[in-house]
Amino acid sequence: MRYFLKLAYRGTAFHGWQIQPNAISVQELINQKLSLILGHPINIVGAGRTDTGVHAREMYAHFDWDQPIADEGKLLNGLNKMLSPDVVIEAILPVKDDAHARFDATERAYEYHIQRKRSPFSGDLASPIFIPLDFEAMQSAAKRLIFKGDFSSFSKSKTQTKTNICELREAYWEQRGELWIFHVRADRFLRNMVRAIVGSLLEVGKGRMTEAEFVDMIAAKDRRLAGESAPAQGLYLTRVLYPNDIFLNG
């Protein structure tokens, strides 16, 4: 049988989601603990990959087990007791045998948090940026992102993706006091895409790039023309959506 894990994690202590040599990742930690509990090697497959220091409020991963899990609640509690406090499994969900955590996702959403005032509480959960920024200019430029097209200007080079076409369905800034939050939602995202978008919007906010230049930069499909990637610490994966019919319990 195939199961989805619904989870959340604070990415500060991890070298991203995906297993890599000589560095602890979220995927590796869950593999280790789930394999120990079930008494058999388990390799979970995530909805995507997050970089070192990036957080997830909602992430999914799937794994296979040769029989129905008798008590999903017991497994859930046991797994959470063994995991780091920085990782929480919120649910174990039976799904169709061919359901895939990555390929069946129909939409993903991210937030990027900027701390505008020095605070002892934000730590590694927001990117501290205290210089003057034009919020309205950044908001106006963000609206130019909402379309379906080629977003190569915001992608790492030499990736394995077959296409850089994405449909961005939402992109806007929100102010919560001294915290500025960028919200973005799309059918798919490219490697490093959100951080590159934020870095470019910050160039607009600093007055180093006009809105017209921002639009031209997107059309050029050239990563060299975009802004530097914003730091990882402010980025959160916040939502992953799937068709309801892949879940066995509706």
Side-chain angles (χ1 to χ4, degrees), residues 40-201:
H40 186 80
I42 298 293
N43 183 38
I44 62 173
V45 176
R49 60 176 68 178
T50 55
D51 292 335
T52 299
V54 175
H55 316 291
R57 288 213 181 99
E58 182 174 282
M59 169 65 109
Y60 285 86
H62 75 249
F63 72 96
D64 294 324
W65 187 233
D66 59 6
Q67 57 187 325
I69 294 172
D71 191 335
E72 294 163 11
K74 182 178 180 180
L75 176 59
L76 178 68
N77 291 332
L79 187 54
N80 278 321
K81 287 179 181 178
M82 296 182 70
L83 288 170
S84 157
D86 292 332
V87 181
V88 175
I89 309 299
E90 298 179 349
I92 300 175
L93 307 166
V95 294
K96 292 181 177 178
D97 290 343
D98 61 350
H100 198 286
R102 178 183 174 190
F103 298 131
D104 283 340
T106 58
E107 185 173 276
R108 294 171 174 84
Y110 285 87
E111 292 178 4
Y112 193 90
H113 291 207
I114 293 175
Q115 183 66 41
R116 301 289 290 143
K117 180 180 179 181
R118 297 187 186 279
S119 169
F121 304 109
S122 59
D124 51 18
L125 299 178
S127 183
I129 301 178
F130 308 131
I131 63 174
L133 293 171
D134 187 333
F135 182 86
E136 295 305 324
M138 292 163 61
Q139 187 76 289
S140 182
K143 295 177 183 178
R144 301 296 197 127
L145 293 162
I146 305 174
F147 69 97
K148 182 176 182 178
D150 191 321
F151 284 88
S152 294
S153 291
F154 301 121
S155 173
K156 279 189 174 181
S157 60
K158 299 179 181 179
T159 64
Q160 297 178 342
T161 55
K162 295 180 180 179
T163 175
N164 286 344
I165 301 295
C166 305
E167 182 185 353
L168 265 68
R169 299 165 178 168
E170 185 176 63
Y172 68 94
W173 287 91
E174 174 193 6
Q175 287 183 320
R176 294 183 194 167
E178 299 301 331
L179 190 67
W180 291 11
I181 303 171
F182 176 63
H183 300 262
V184 62
R185 181 168 55 88
D187 63 338
R188 63 191 291 264
F189 287 90
L190 308 173
R191 289 287 308 278
N192 201 236
M193 181 172 172
V194 179
R195 291 168 60 192
I197 287 175
V198 173
S200 300
L201 289 172

